[in-house]
Amino acid sequence: MTVERPRVAVFRPDDDRLAAARSLLADLGAEAVTDPMLAVEPTGERPQDADYAVFTSKTGAELAADADWTPGTATVVAIGPKTADALETAGYAVDLVPEAFSSTGLVDLLAPRVGDATVEVARSDHGSPVLLDGLRDAGAAVHETVLYRLVRPEGAGESATLAADGALDAACFTSSLTVEHFLDAAAERGIRADAVGGLNDAVVGVIGEPTRETAEGETITVDVVPAEATFEALARETVARLDSR
């Protein structure tokens, strides 16, 4: 007898991150519904010189390397282990990683260090203002370079249709933007209310409090927010919540 595996929507960009998500969920006994809600459009910009260079994503690290950025004497800071790995793979030495892999974690780490320093923040066009505001409040001279824009891929929305049909067991949102793009895709298909209802009958996991706030602001009930802000922790805890139902 074949046991049907739960269907879990994931919204990662269509690259190695999506493949890794599919593999992880298979190992956890779930079927990944891969529905990328983010596509990367590089701007061609490169990070500026500063005392501290802060990277908030694997994509940003890779684009800095593609632009032949050199850190000089900068202290290189990564928001978490995936970003640090990408920087180190590109040949950069990573000096600092916060205990909490978030904008707030970066502020907590850097605020005592950057009082009279220059800080370069290299990231997407959808970065949280928490990071810039927190560093400026600490006395730093902060500059932001937008390395890439995040857009919704054409045709995204299979997961919204499944949710509206009651055929989705769980969803793993990795940013506020994935929530917004999911809802936009549902609205374009004329099923927004039904898709939200389907999510609320499923298990919804999100990375971090900002993503929780976005989801709940759109009347989506959030069931899981992992203590560690990584996709692996999110997937494991979301599937565990499914199993406990």
Side-chain angles (χ1 to χ4, degrees):
M1 176 177 164
T2 302
V3 178
E4 188 172 333
R5 296 183 299 165
R7 306 176 90 180
V8 181
V10 293
F11 310 107
R12 314 223 73 188
D14 191 7
D15 55 24
D16 58 323
R17 286 167 289 187
L18 194 63
R22 186 185 295 110
S23 177
L24 173 60
L25 284 165
D27 289 344
L28 295 172
E31 176 188 348
V33 176
T34 54
D35 192 10
M37 287 291 167
L38 301 175
V40 173
E41 288 187 351
T43 63
E45 298 294 324
R46 61 187 292 173
Q48 294 189 3
D49 294 338
D51 298 318
Y52 290 79
V54 180
F55 292 88
T56 63
S57 70
K58 175 179 180 288
T59 299
E62 292 168 345
L63 289 174
D66 290 344
D68 294 324
W69 172 72
T70 56
T73 60
T75 297
V76 177
V77 186
I79 195 170
K82 299 293 186 184
T83 305
D85 288 348
L87 287 164
E88 290 170 349
T89 297
Y92 303 116
V94 176
D95 300 297
L96 297 170
V97 178
E99 290 185 10
F101 309 146
S102 64
S103 292
T104 300
L106 283 169
V107 172
D108 291 342
L109 171 69
L110 294 175
R113 306 167 186 258
V114 298
D116 295 314
T118 55
V119 181
E120 168 70 354
V121 176
R123 59 183 187 172
S124 80
D125 62 329
H126 284 278
S128 166
V130 168
L131 177 55
L132 305 186
D133 292 345
L135 295 176
R136 286 174 179 144
D137 288 346
V142 182
H143 180 268
E144 178 187 33
T145 295
V146 174
L147 296 178
Y148 59 102
R149 300 182 183 89
L150 291 169
V151 298
R152 178 162 53 92
E154 185 176 351
E158 175 195 1
S159 58
T161 298
L162 290 173
D165 291 342
L168 195 66
D169 298 294
C172 292
F173 292 100
T174 49
S175 68
S176 291
L177 196 56
T178 57
V179 176
E180 293 164 4
H181 283 182
F182 173 93
L183 294 172
D184 289 345
E188 284 184 1
R189 295 172 181 229
I191 55 171
R192 190 183 190 281
D194 288 340
V196 170
L199 286 180
N200 288 339
D201 288 335
V203 171
V204 174
V206 305
I207 284 183
E209 289 303 318
T211 309
R212 179 209 285 270
E213 291 171 9
T214 299
E216 292 181 344
E218 299 290 352
T219 70
I220 297 169
T221 301
V222 173
D223 302 290
V224 173
V225 185
E228 181 181 280
T230 64
F231 181 80
E232 180 173 351
L234 174 63
R236 289 186 183 281
E237 293 190 27
T238 300
V239 172
R241 180 63 63 89
L242 266 177
D243 291 343
S244 70
R245 282 193 164 188

